Amino acid sequence: MAAPLLVAEEPGCLDCHEADDGSSVHTVFNTAHGNLAGGGAAACTSCHGPSEAHDRRGRRNQPDVSFGPKWVSPLEQRNGACQSCHENGAQMLWAGSEHEQENLACADCHQSHQLRDPALDQSTAQAQCTDCHAQVKAQLHLPSRHPIAEGKTACTDCHNPHGSASDASLHQVTLNENCYSCHQEKRGPLLWEHEPVTEDCALCHKPHGSVHGGLLTARGPALCQQCHSAAFHPSVPYGAEGLPSAGGNQNLLGKNCLNCHSQVHGSNHPSGARLTR
């Protein structure tokens, strides 16, 4: 009679952590992570390691990889558990990224046990970012802004939080290319180009929000005069001395360079050399 086949003993995770005990931790079995390696206890060890010592005496010994709150493994081990699967695609440039250099853990933003990861849910992802980026949070509520607070755009439309080859973790190689992904009409090529437009959109615009219309860094004519001190017609710098209490300069209060030079991003009109048409 042939000897019976020996089946390797399954880890005893679910002996204590019952899958149906109602704990929020165990909602992982309703997610993709709960189905790793066939599901069950094997899914636990896929992220937390074999954890044999924890299996024997769980109250005294932590799992091989623990994300807290009682035990917290070193950052490299915790992030390594995630990167064992998530190392390609959008996560490819995590090593050396700004968030990685700030010693950020994957679990600081992501909740792998939850059915709806707050970092991947557009209704909560903004809060995940602005919890740390407080200055940006304030800018998103300025009069002129991208409609992130309204849910029409998201931080991840422009930024890759897992890193990129450009500054500020932008999706595209340059800031301008990032802007052109939505504002295609500004791309060109144009017959008459405005040099700062082709150089860097941020020379004139604040991407997260501004007190000036059109996300401008300053209102005209002050913005234009940062470069154009005198441009083919009488032009003088305008400052606080032109406000009403000091006489009220009509050019400062009621006029704007863009009233005439309306095609400030560039023109294809044969007579548009001065960006007036």
Side-chain angles (χ1 to χ4, degrees):
M1 181 176 179
L5 294 176
L6 296 178
V7 179
E9 183 180 353
E10 186 179 58
C13 305
L14 299 182
D15 293 344
C16 299
H17 303 281
E18 298 177 6
D20 58 352
D21 70 353
S23 170
S24 60
V25 174
H26 302 136
T27 56
V28 67
F29 295 108
N30 296 320
T31 72
H33 289 107
N35 293 310
L36 293 174
C44 304
T45 58
S46 295
C47 297
H48 295 280
S51 305
E52 295 178 358
H54 179 70
D55 195 3
R56 292 193 300 270
R57 305 187 71 178
R59 294 184 181 275
R60 295 189 179 184
N61 298 304
Q62 71 177 58
D64 292 346
V65 181
S66 179
F67 297 85
K70 183 176 181 180
W71 296 296
V72 181
S73 297
L75 178 66
E76 294 76 12
Q77 289 186 11
R78 286 178 282 147
N79 283 356
C82 301
Q83 290 180 301
S84 63
C85 294
H86 303 283
E87 60 180 353
N88 296 314
Q91 295 82 27
M92 184 179 296
L93 296 176
W94 171 257
S97 67
E98 294 183 40
H99 284 149
E100 194 265 348
Q101 292 183 51
E102 291 294 334
N103 294 323
L104 201 66
C106 303
D108 290 338
C109 297
H110 295 281
Q111 301 295 326
S112 59
H113 281 245
Q114 292 187 18
L115 184 60
R116 297 176 67 88
D117 187 341
L120 302 180
D121 187 339
Q122 188 165 338
S123 63
T124 56
Q126 176 193 327
Q128 291 284 96
C129 299
T130 54
D131 279 348
C132 294
H133 300 281
Q135 182 177 2
V136 173
K137 181 178 182 179
Q139 293 173 336
L140 295 179
H141 295 280
L142 292 176
S144 179
R145 62 187 187 274
H146 279 115
I148 295 177
E150 292 79 7
K152 295 181 179 180
T153 57
C155 303
T156 51
D157 289 340
C158 297
H159 301 279
N160 181 356
H162 300 106
S164 77
S166 63
D167 292 335
S169 297
L170 296 173
H171 286 297
Q172 308 298 333
V173 175
T174 66
L175 173 64
N176 280 21
E177 287 299 321
N178 220 58
C179 298
Y180 294 152
S181 62
C182 290
H183 303 282
Q184 295 94 342
E185 74 281 3
K186 304 296 191 296
R187 182 186 296 274
L190 298 169
L191 180 61
W192 307 105
E193 294 183 334
H194 194 190
E195 286 81 359
V197 176
T198 57
E199 182 180 348
D200 190 340
C201 299
L203 292 174
C204 297
H205 298 281
K206 290 184 176 180
H208 296 115
S210 172
V211 296
H212 306 290
L215 298 170
L216 293 176
T217 57
R219 68 172 295 273
L223 174 61
C224 302
Q225 290 187 322
Q226 292 176 11
C227 296
H228 305 282
S229 58
F232 305 103
H233 53 68
S235 179
V236 294
Y238 301 124
E241 67 278 358
L243 294 174
S245 61
N249 187 297
Q250 63 172 341
N251 293 304
L252 178 63
L253 298 178
K255 294 185 178 181
N256 193 317
C257 302
L258 274 70
N259 291 348
C260 296
H261 304 279
S262 57
Q263 303 303 309
V264 68
H265 290 101
S267 173
N268 273 324
H269 195 285
S271 299
R274 300 290 177 260
L275 306 180
T276 56
R277 62 190 73 189

